């Protein structure tokens, strides 16, 4: 618990679900929490329910300009938890021209992390990316159509984005070994991410197969708060576990990093210990 005293931790999607529970516990344990979300009123309501030091920062991951404005409101950081995620049954493009699941679940976080990295403390900086076991169901992505514009299916877009979260984690760890970076499968959680599924599918999933948001937040909290000497791994139930064979493909992960770099216009910082 003492480790969190004076620590500043940012959590995207912090106004509900796993993100809210993560913010709640970290604040109660003494961290200075930056609760990030796209709706200011919902973020304020969430902050009112948290006992501790909480700062609200509006950040719409579906809008790169909003991400850049959000970073301007953050002075320093010790831990970044890229928690926000979505699923949509309908194809929709963001203001930046990308399929919304791809941008919210990956590209927005990719840009956010690149901008916040220079503001992160040199003493044990950490990045935690929420992925999912759903990544195991992603086929090899088509780099000529990562937006899935010609053959969109909501579940494919979601599974693919969760694969991207692990690729991002592994390449970030490779390029910035001084930053402890890990990916998390929180479990199947009873949150609003299921709202777009048909009720005949949604009801049995929520009734029989899900964890509570409190349970789902445990691994993120563990990686943010406890003494951990592991990086570049995929975690489940507070332990490192195996990801899919595709998720381990370092060459594809690096290729995807380069694609993300071009897509976002991100400029990753040159810092001591980085591998370029």
């Amino acid at each position: 618990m003492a480790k969190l005293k004076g620590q500043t931790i940012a959590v995207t999607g912090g106004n509900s679900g796993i993100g809210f529970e993560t913010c709640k516990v970290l604040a109660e344990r003494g961290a200075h929490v930056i609760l990030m979300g796209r709706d200011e009123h919902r973020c304020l309501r969430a902050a009112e329910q948290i006992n501790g030091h909480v700062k609200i920062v509006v950040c719409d991951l579906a809008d790169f300009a909003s991400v850049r404005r959000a970073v301007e409101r953050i002075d320093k950081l010790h831990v970044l938890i890229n928690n926000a995620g979505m699923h949509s049954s309908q194809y929709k493009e963001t203001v930046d021209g990308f399929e919304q699941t791809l941008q919210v679940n990956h590209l927005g976080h990719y840009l956010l992390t690149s901008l916040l990295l220079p503001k992160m403390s040199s003493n044990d900086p950490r990045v935690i990316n929420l992925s999912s076991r759903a990544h195991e169901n992603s086929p090899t992505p088509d780099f000529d159509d990562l937006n899935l514009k010609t053959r969109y299916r909501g579940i494919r877009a979601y599974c693919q984005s969760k694969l991207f979260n692990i690729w991002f984690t592994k390449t970030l760890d490779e390029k910035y070994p001084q930053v402890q970076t890990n990916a998390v499968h929180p479990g199947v959680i009873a949150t609003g991410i299921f709202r777009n599924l048909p009720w005949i599918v949604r009801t049995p999933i929520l009734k029989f197969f899900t964890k509570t948001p409190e349970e789902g937040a445990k691994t993120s909290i563990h990686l943010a708060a406890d003494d951990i000497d592991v990086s570049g791994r995929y975690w489940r139930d507070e332990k490192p576990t195996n990801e899919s064979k595709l998720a381990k493909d370092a060459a594809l992960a690096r290729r995807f990093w380069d694609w993300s770099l071009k897509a976002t216009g991100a400029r990753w910082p040159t810092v001591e210990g980085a591998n370029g």
Side-chain angles (χ1 to χ4, degrees):
M1 186 177 297
K3 180 186 183 305
L4 291 180
K5 298 293 184 180
Q7 296 276 304
T8 301
I9 303 177
V11 183
T12 65
N15 59 279
S16 64
I18 302 169
F20 172 74
E21 295 299 332
T22 302
C23 289
K24 181 180 176 182
V25 173
L26 293 174
E28 290 172 348
R29 291 175 60 175
H32 290 188
V33 171
I34 300 175
L35 190 157
M36 306 180 75
R38 62 186 176 90
D39 187 309
E40 183 176 13
H41 296 295
R42 292 180 64 188
C43 288
L44 287 170
R45 288 199 298 269
E48 290 172 355
Q49 301 175 56
I50 296 175
N51 180 25
H53 187 284
V54 182
K55 176 180 178 178
I56 300 302
V57 172
V58 175
C59 179
D60 184 353
L61 293 164
D63 182 346
F64 292 153
S66 176
V67 172
R68 293 182 183 278
R69 288 193 297 270
V71 170
E72 293 175 357
R73 298 199 56 220
I74 299 174
D75 298 323
K76 65 177 182 178
L77 195 64
H78 297 88
V79 180
L80 172 61
I81 303 179
N82 290 319
N83 165 86
M86 64 160 291
H87 168 276
S88 176
S89 58
Q90 301 296 321
Y91 180 89
K92 182 179 179 181
E93 289 187 356
T94 67
V95 295
D96 300 298
F98 297 98
E99 188 276 318
Q100 61 180 346
T101 307
L102 170 61
Q103 181 159 339
V104 171
N105 292 7
H106 168 65
L107 290 175
H109 284 132
Y110 180 94
L111 178 62
L112 178 67
T113 307
S114 73
L115 293 169
L116 285 177
L117 205 60
K119 301 187 179 189
M120 296 189 76
S121 168
S122 60
N123 181 23
D124 196 22
R126 302 184 182 194
V127 174
I128 300 159
N129 298 316
L130 263 71
S131 179
S132 169
R133 189 176 177 182
H135 83 274
E136 297 174 3
N137 297 317
S138 176
T140 302
D142 178 359
F143 277 81
D144 292 324
D145 186 24
L146 292 178
N147 285 287
L148 301 178
K149 192 169 185 178
T150 60
R151 45 180 176 174
Y152 183 80
R153 287 174 53 234
I155 190 63
R156 178 172 181 172
Y158 180 76
C159 293
Q160 176 177 271
S161 74
K162 297 294 101 179
L163 170 68
F164 295 160
N165 295 150
I166 299 178
W167 278 355
F168 174 44
T169 298
K170 289 184 172 295
T171 311
L172 182 60
D173 175 65
E174 178 183 295
K175 289 180 175 290
Y176 294 90
Q178 76 279 16
V179 180
Q180 187 185 101
T181 308
N182 287 289
V184 171
H185 168 57
V188 182
I189 311 299
T191 68
I193 200 168
F194 292 105
R195 68 173 67 91
N196 292 315
L197 291 176
W199 71 268
I200 197 168
V201 175
R202 181 174 67 244
T203 300
I205 287 177
L206 295 180
K207 185 175 181 180
F208 298 111
F209 299 109
T210 60
K211 294 181 179 180
T212 65
E214 294 90 340
E215 293 170 328
K218 286 183 177 180
T219 303
S220 293
I221 294 167
H222 174 58
L223 288 171
D226 296 337
D227 290 330
I228 305 294
D229 190 24
V230 177
S231 189
R233 294 294 306 275
Y234 169 63
W235 291 65
R236 178 181 182 183
D237 295 330
E238 302 178 56
K239 298 177 182 178
T241 189
N242 289 322
E243 62 273 29
S244 70
K245 181 179 179 180
L246 181 59
K248 295 177 181 178
D249 192 316
L252 284 178
R254 294 188 196 104
R255 181 182 177 187
F256 182 65
W257 175 283
D258 293 340
W259 181 90
S260 301
L261 185 68
K262 184 177 180 180
T264 60
R267 294 185 177 182
W268 287 88
T270 300
V271 295
E272 185 178 352
N275 291 331

